[in-house]
Amino acid sequence: MTLARLRLARTDGIGPLTFRRLLARHGSAEAALDALPELSGRYDPPPEAETRREEAALARLGGRFVFLDDPFYPPLLALLPDAPPVLAVLGDVGLLAAPAVAIVGARNASSAGRRVAEELAESLAGKGLTVVSGLARGIDTAAHDGALRSGATVAVLPGGVDVPYPPENVPLVARIAERGAVVSEMPLGTAPQNRHFPKRNRIVAGLSLGVVVVEAAHRSGTLITARLGLEHGREVFAVPGSPLDPRCRGSNDLIRQGAHLTETAEDVLDHLPEAPRAGPLFDPARMARDATETAETPSDGLGPPPEGQEQILELIGLSPVSVDEVLRRCHLTAPELQAVLTDLELEGRVELLPGRRVMRSAIG
């Protein structure tokens, strides 16, 4: 069963939405693989020998795969409409279900920013929370280091778990694998590319009850992490910084928009929920209803067609439009639309704005 699910997840063109639909319609990965030739000629699963090699390579590293329909799959992450079908995990798989807080921020962080991140992580980990971050230089590295002083941390990688990035953090990855967990949705051997980083960030937000931003420039990827967290019901926190420092403009702006001003761990603990807040597109009942309707609707069992992005783009212009208006005019469910909009944002083709509005990017 593991091999079949891995082959299905590694099939080009089968993303998170399609993976869910195939399992819902066919009942198992084996049945879904058997049905692929009839559904579309575009999908060509990798050879069984290739997935066996990946499975064996991960086992040699002491890791394991966790699949979307696996009881060990992190429950908060599973609530995302575009939750990864499979995660490669080194270390303690149980940590992925533990209460967690993400700490993220600038790669070119100031010494003060790194110190704040370390101290926040150490305090939060000492209170029993798992600290999640992306292993990047600067704030991420400081957060992992601080958490390891008093507790556990989870590192989410943009490439394969066997390709740590940046290279200077290889020793840190080894420490995290011993006392925490290292996670990636990418196949083993995958070198990190620019397009992988925003996708990595959605996992960081998805694993966490809240996202703490320590230094972020106005248009940094860190702000996408915070926005994704907010859209999926997570609390957003931001450490205030000097208005003269460009690295703090984005994080200061988050505070203006309602993020919790954060100076100590207590500021986080006082506002951290036991579960994500329900939002317009984050409603477990609505998501369950959408999933049921999807499973019962006659179709080829696939997710939104490749041209789905272009269809959505036709509904979005250079002037802001309500996401609800786009939802009414398209044929996607709310979770599907959110996943498409997220992909378009990560590609730089649209901008998601406050007030649940969206517009085309000037460069998209």
Side-chain angles (χ1 to χ4, degrees):
M1 180 178 290
T2 296
L3 190 65
R5 286 182 292 177
L6 185 59
R7 289 186 69 206
L8 186 63
R10 296 297 190 230
T11 299
D12 287 341
I14 293 184
L17 292 173
T18 304
F19 185 88
R20 286 183 188 243
R21 285 191 165 193
L22 286 169
L23 288 184
R25 182 169 179 80
H26 298 284
S28 70
E30 292 89 345
L33 285 170
D34 290 340
L36 281 185
E38 300 176 4
L39 297 174
S40 173
R42 295 173 298 160
Y43 299 100
D44 186 18
E48 188 172 307
E50 181 178 321
T51 48
R52 284 191 186 279
R53 285 194 296 270
E54 184 179 1
E55 186 178 37
L58 183 59
R60 286 194 297 271
L61 294 173
R64 59 164 295 178
F65 289 112
V66 179
F67 295 89
L68 188 56
D69 57 344
D70 191 310
F72 290 102
Y73 195 90
L76 288 185
L77 185 61
L79 292 173
L80 271 62
D82 59 345
V86 59
L87 297 171
V89 183
L90 303 179
D92 186 357
V93 174
L95 274 181
L96 303 184
V101 175
I103 298 180
V104 296
R107 289 178 172 83
N108 62 333
S110 67
S111 58
R114 290 194 296 269
R115 179 178 175 182
V116 168
E118 286 182 11
E119 292 180 353
L120 279 175
E122 182 176 5
S123 296
L124 291 169
K127 298 291 186 180
L129 291 167
T130 299
V131 173
V132 181
S133 199
L135 200 77
R137 297 181 178 94
I139 297 301
D140 290 19
T141 296
H144 291 306
D145 280 332
L148 288 173
R149 295 175 188 168
S150 59
T153 185
V154 171
V156 185
L157 305 189
V161 293
D162 56 338
V163 190
Y165 184 86
E168 62 264 28
N169 276 350
V170 169
L172 178 57
V173 167
R175 290 167 56 210
I176 295 173
E178 289 179 1
R179 298 180 51 188
V182 179
V183 176
S184 176
E185 68 177 315
M186 305 305 296
L188 264 67
T190 301
Q193 301 177 24
N194 287 341
R195 60 189 174 88
H196 297 157
F197 288 90
K199 294 183 177 182
R200 181 271 315 271
N201 292 352
R202 91 186 190 287
I203 300 177
V204 171
L207 288 171
S208 310
L209 290 167
V211 177
V212 182
V213 176
V214 184
E215 295 186 347
H218 181 58
R219 296 182 65 85
S220 71
T222 299
L223 298 183
I224 293 180
T225 308
R227 182 183 298 162
L228 291 173
L230 184 63
E231 288 174 355
H232 296 297
R234 278 52 166 172
E235 293 293 331
V236 176
F237 306 82
V239 175
S242 168
L244 300 178
D245 190 341
R247 290 171 294 194
C248 300
R249 288 177 182 166
S251 44
N252 287 346
D253 193 48
L254 286 175
I255 296 173
R256 293 190 193 95
Q257 296 178 35
H260 300 290
L261 188 152
T262 302
E263 296 176 322
T264 66
E266 284 67 33
D267 294 325
V268 177
L269 296 171
D270 288 346
H271 297 94
L272 199 66
E274 295 184 1
R277 294 175 291 103
L281 289 183
F282 183 84
D283 181 348
R286 182 174 185 176
M287 291 174 69
R289 182 172 66 251
D290 289 337
T292 300
E293 292 173 354
T294 293
E296 294 175 351
T297 301
S299 71
D300 62 1
L302 301 179
E307 62 271 19
Q309 285 194 354
E310 298 304 323
Q311 292 174 350
I312 295 303
L313 280 173
E314 290 179 2
L315 301 176
I316 301 171
L318 292 175
S319 298
V321 62
S322 165
V323 172
D324 290 333
E325 177 65 20
V326 178
L327 181 62
R328 284 192 292 269
R329 296 171 60 191
C330 73
H331 300 290
L332 302 180
T333 66
E336 289 172 347
L337 174 61
Q338 186 61 55
V340 171
L341 290 177
T342 297
D343 285 343
L344 289 170
E345 182 189 27
L346 299 182
E347 293 171 6
R349 304 178 73 185
V350 303
E351 295 183 33
L352 296 178
L353 308 172
R356 285 178 44 73
R357 296 176 301 154
V358 62
M359 63 179 289
R360 284 209 194 197
S361 170
I363 61 173

